Amino acid sequence: MDFSDALLLARIQFAFTVSFHIIFPAFSIGLASYLATLEGLWLWTGRRVFLDLFNYWKKIFAVAFGMGVVSGIVMSYQFGTNWSVFSDKVGPVIGPLMGYEVLSAFFLEAGFLGIMLFGLNRVGPRLHFFATLMVAFGTFLSAFWILSANSWMHTPQGHAINEAGQFIPVDWWQVIFNPSFPYRLAHMLLAAYITTALVVGATGALHLLRDRADPAARIMFSMAMWMAAIVAPIQAVVGDMHGLNTLKHQPAKIAAMEGHFDTYEGAPLILFGIPNDREERVDYKVEIPRLGSFILTHDWSGKVRGLKEWPREQRPPSRIVFWSFRIMVGAGLLMIALGLWTLLLRWRRTLYDAPWTWRAALLMGPSGFVAVLAGWITTEVGRQPWTVYGLLTTAQSVSPIDAAAVGTSLVAFIVVYFALFGAGTFYLLRLMYKQVAAGADELPRDEPIRAAGITPAPVMREAGGAP
């Protein structure tokens, strides 16, 4: 690596900040829906344990949501500092999409978040449930707009290019619902739900290892394993559909993911190996004949294009894409295995008598984040050297800046991020380590309630009056 290269440093900086950022939205999207489910179950069944779980996880959601917002704001500034040419060229398309996200999703989340966190005893259960649903809907809208903008950069359409080289939207319907958007949105949302489920399941498993009779821990573990058993296989199907879409629109990325330098009809599936870009081959590969074509084209003799069909300067770095894709798939297969195994235990009625399964679920807790990061690396590194696929390169998008300036800000980001988000993550883990407390967060029923300031109850007691 040449650390005197401003472009390389700007790419590292954006990769570093987006990697920190993406884990928090991935968690908060799923957790917002989990909170809405818990509160709905409480209202439907009247069982107090669901409300206790809601109060437990809402604190964790508040911290994760806050860190997600802060880490996201930092990224937006980089578009003006390190990627000003990109901002100028694609601003007419990306800018409004980001604006829609703020106006719809962020305002919705911010508007109802306070009610969800502090308002249960003040606005009543039904209005409070509505606020929780709006927060969950806001996280969905946020993902909708962000994924739309990102997908347009992968499969751009619905635009024209003016004399200044700017992308001008001519059909917003085509811009928003570009060819890869539905698959990317579904894949990301399911990833968020599974990621959250694995964290909830790991927390439940931790508390089951302490007390297998803990009712809150049983519910956490059971709900999480249902999610893993049902959604993880669905994610595999959606991933396959996303792969077919990528093969159609970004075949060079698929070639890098599969490690194919040559074009095949009846391509093998390379399980492992070391892609060698310089020699244009995969060293030490282990492969299964024809299975690659069957998975990618659903035809044993289907044609899969190799990287040699593109000039070297238009190929993604295959080694990173090849391995990040395998890490994502490997984590996904483990999730499916865990979900199906717990289904078997549930059928045998031994789900709450399986310490080794609880330990496995505890170890699998971070695997959702690993899969999300690996998938994101596969997607974003796989589209190199383009920022807008086939139209604008990364080298054409960077600001005219010095390497020293980018390097200094990169070091500052690393120090601040590890200190700030490291402390935040440690606090989240402490919250999860605590057991669910029955009746926590209830306000006294014999005292007046105000939204701010002190209550008159102590003064009224001293005066001998009823509060």
Side-chain angles (χ1 to χ4, degrees):
M1 287 188 180
D2 181 6
F3 289 105
S4 63
D5 182 355
L7 172 61
L8 176 63
L9 292 172
R11 288 181 59 192
I12 293 174
Q13 185 177 115
F14 195 81
F16 176 77
T17 52
V18 77
S19 297
F20 259 91
H21 172 67
I22 194 171
I23 61 176
F24 296 114
F27 187 36
S28 57
I29 289 170
L31 201 50
S33 296
Y34 182 57
L35 287 171
T37 304
L38 288 172
E39 189 168 9
L41 288 171
W42 170 58
L43 293 174
W44 184 30
T45 66
R47 292 180 61 188
R48 174 71 207 201
V49 66
F50 289 117
L51 181 59
D52 293 336
L53 280 168
F54 175 87
N55 288 326
Y56 179 83
W57 284 103
K58 79 176 182 183
K59 298 173 187 173
I60 296 167
F61 173 82
V63 178
F65 182 82
M67 289 198 289
V69 171
V70 172
S71 58
I73 290 173
V74 172
M75 287 172 53
S76 64
Y77 285 111
Q78 289 182 57
F79 288 121
T81 54
N82 296 349
W83 303 101
S84 60
V85 179
F86 170 81
S87 300
D88 175 59
K89 300 293 185 186
V90 308
V93 174
I94 300 295
L97 295 179
M98 296 294 99
Y100 299 151
E101 193 239 349
V102 172
L103 287 173
S104 59
F106 198 65
F107 279 16
L108 199 61
E109 292 167 339
F112 287 97
L113 183 64
I115 299 174
M116 190 190 84
L117 293 178
F118 308 111
L120 179 58
N121 290 353
R122 293 179 170 84
V123 301
R126 292 183 180 179
L127 183 54
H128 185 268
F129 182 49
F130 178 75
T132 306
L133 288 175
M134 289 301 99
V135 171
F137 184 54
T139 62
F140 167 79
L141 278 180
S142 181
F144 178 92
W145 291 117
I146 294 294
L147 267 296
S148 175
N150 180 265
S151 298
W152 179 83
M153 291 159 62
H154 286 266
T155 50
Q157 70 172 20
H159 65 272
I161 300 178
N162 65 15
E163 294 178 352
Q166 295 174 311
F167 294 83
I168 307 299
V170 295
D171 186 336
W172 277 110
W173 185 265
Q174 289 191 20
V175 169
I176 295 170
F177 296 99
N178 57 80
S180 66
F181 170 64
Y183 306 96
R184 206 178 302 278
L185 177 66
H187 202 44
M188 186 65 207
L189 287 176
L190 291 175
Y193 294 143
I194 297 172
T195 297
T196 303
L198 289 168
V199 174
V200 172
T203 307
L206 172 67
H207 296 303
L208 281 174
L209 287 167
R210 292 167 159 179
D211 177 9
R212 67 178 61 194
D214 184 341
R218 288 186 170 214
I219 290 174
M220 278 192 281
F221 187 70
S222 177
M223 292 178 71
M225 292 305 105
W226 274 121
M227 181 66 80
I230 296 171
V231 178
I234 295 175
Q235 176 71 313
V237 175
V238 172
D240 177 65
M241 296 168 67
H242 189 19
L244 294 176
N245 180 267
T246 306
L247 179 65
K248 180 179 180 181
H249 297 282
Q250 295 177 305
K253 181 192 291 186
I254 288 290
M257 289 163 59
E258 298 298 322
H260 291 315
F261 286 91
D262 295 302
T263 298
Y264 292 94
E265 291 183 359
L269 174 65
I270 301 176
L271 297 175
F272 303 104
I274 302 175
N276 186 331
D277 286 320
R278 180 175 299 176
E279 301 295 332
E280 297 183 323
R281 66 169 188 252
V282 178
D283 297 327
Y284 312 111
K285 61 184 176 183
V286 177
E287 62 185 23
I288 301 174
R290 291 186 176 272
L291 186 56
S293 280
F294 181 74
I295 292 174
L296 290 171
T297 66
H298 296 182
D299 180 352
W300 292 102
S301 300
K303 182 178 179 180
V304 179
R305 299 171 67 187
L307 286 170
K308 289 181 182 177
E309 291 200 16
W310 289 270
R312 282 181 179 269
E313 65 275 11
Q314 292 186 11
R315 301 176 191 172
S318 63
R319 186 171 297 184
I320 297 174
V321 178
F322 181 87
W323 278 107
S324 61
F325 177 65
R326 273 146 189 78
I327 291 171
M328 179 188 70
V329 172
L333 293 175
L334 288 175
M335 294 171 198
I336 293 173
L338 178 65
L340 296 180
W341 174 250
T342 55
L343 270 186
L344 179 63
L345 293 181
R346 206 184 293 270
W347 178 67
R348 292 179 174 174
R349 299 182 184 279
T350 57
L351 185 64
Y352 304 116
D353 190 24
W356 283 106
T357 302
W358 303 339
R359 291 187 181 94
L362 186 58
L363 289 175
M364 286 285 291
S367 63
F369 298 116
V370 173
V372 166
L373 281 174
W376 196 255
I377 291 169
T378 302
T379 297
E380 299 307 314
V381 177
R383 71 167 156 168
Q384 292 299 318
W386 309 99
T387 47
V388 180
Y389 200 76
L391 298 172
L392 183 69
T393 66
T394 308
Q396 292 170 332
S397 303
V398 71
S399 303
I401 48 177
D402 294 329
V406 187
T408 302
S409 58
L410 173 59
V411 172
F413 275 126
I414 292 173
V415 172
V416 172
Y417 268 53
F418 275 106
L420 181 63
F421 295 113
T425 303
F426 178 72
Y427 182 63
L428 283 175
L429 293 175
R430 284 193 61 184
L431 289 175
M432 294 177 202
Y433 188 76
K434 293 181 179 177
Q435 285 186 297
V436 178
D441 291 350
E442 277 195 347
L443 292 177
R445 294 187 177 278
D446 60 345
E447 294 184 3
I449 298 171
R450 287 184 176 178
I454 61 172
T455 73
V459 176
M460 295 174 69
R461 283 203 190 94
E462 289 178 3

